Amino acid sequence: MKVRIVPIVLTVVISASVLFGGWFLYRQMALQNPLASVVSQYDGVKNSQIDIKQDTVTLKLDLEPNTNLQGLIQHIKHEGKSVIGSRELKVQVEDHSSEALDQWWDQAMLSVAEAMDNKQYTQIQTSLEQLAGKSSNLKAKATIDENNVYVSLSDGKSGKFIILPRQPGKMEGWIHA
């Protein structure tokens, strides 16, 4: 029996093209495009990149300074539920901070960390408002949901968004304590 190489190679190439082409189309049309539509329709989103894996959905967001980050996350979770499913949602916000916002956050970080450690989340907004009162153009806002505390800082031109997880890593006891 004579084996013909050309038909075998051609069959493998066509089969692989159909298989991977179908998978690519499914991923683009059924997963990424609907989620990109949900993200882009929210007010304040300039740009987004979506990476969908088997157990995680990673969003890289470019936001305008006064965007409601917690509202955006809730919108994505609610409207994109069919795409996200049981996957973990990871959000990374592109940093467009100014030097003044970075210095202001450095001052606020101690009181925010203390409030987070003591689980007194209302103190975060209080301490942010006290520090923001010292600067005329600074706006600071803290919001909370079941998983995170969202801190948004803006001076009108620049914005800084911080996502603080409510469940910090747990420390184990030392053997020799």
Side-chain angles (χ1 to χ4, degrees):
M1 182 169 168
K2 188 175 179 184
V3 177
R4 295 185 181 174
I5 299 293
V6 174
I8 293 173
V9 170
L10 192 58
T11 302
V12 168
V13 168
I14 291 173
S15 297
S17 299
V18 168
L19 178 67
F20 290 114
W23 175 78
F24 177 76
L25 283 174
Y26 167 74
R27 188 169 175 210
Q28 283 297 113
M29 302 302 248
L31 297 177
Q32 286 191 343
N33 286 351
L35 192 58
S37 174
V38 166
V39 172
S40 65
Q41 67 182 243
Y42 195 84
D43 191 34
V45 176
K46 291 187 209 175
N47 192 12
S48 65
Q49 293 178 345
I50 301 169
D51 184 25
I52 300 175
K53 298 210 167 136
Q54 186 171 356
D55 56 348
T56 60
V57 175
T58 304
L59 294 173
K60 294 180 182 178
L61 301 172
D62 186 7
L63 303 176
E64 293 178 2
N66 293 321
T67 304
N68 178 359
L69 181 59
Q70 192 238 350
L72 172 61
I73 300 299
Q74 295 305 317
H75 175 74
I76 292 168
K77 285 181 179 179
H78 183 263
E79 297 295 323
K81 185 186 288 187
S82 64
V83 174
I84 296 170
S86 63
R87 295 178 182 102
E88 178 187 1
L89 179 64
K90 294 182 180 181
V91 178
Q92 300 169 355
V93 181
E94 197 169 313
D95 190 17
H96 293 295
S97 182
S98 65
E99 189 174 324
L101 286 177
D102 288 337
Q103 289 175 355
W104 189 88
W105 176 244
D106 288 342
Q107 293 174 357
M109 207 178 326
L110 181 62
S111 60
V112 170
E114 181 179 24
M116 291 290 292
D117 285 345
N118 294 330
K119 297 185 181 202
Q120 297 177 345
Y121 302 112
T122 56
Q123 298 230 340
I124 295 172
Q125 184 65 39
T126 305
S127 61
L128 291 176
E129 287 173 355
Q130 287 175 349
L131 288 170
K134 297 176 184 177
S135 179
S136 62
N137 60 346
L138 182 70
K139 293 179 184 174
K141 181 180 176 186
T143 56
I144 191 169
D145 67 10
E146 63 276 356
N147 298 319
N148 299 311
V149 174
Y150 304 93
V151 177
S152 303
L153 308 174
S154 174
D155 61 4
K157 295 179 262 176
S158 303
K160 184 174 189 74
F161 298 95
I162 301 104
I163 301 173
L164 304 168
R166 288 182 58 190
Q167 302 297 324
K170 297 194 176 148
M171 293 182 61
E172 295 181 16
W174 289 6
I175 296 173
H176 303 293

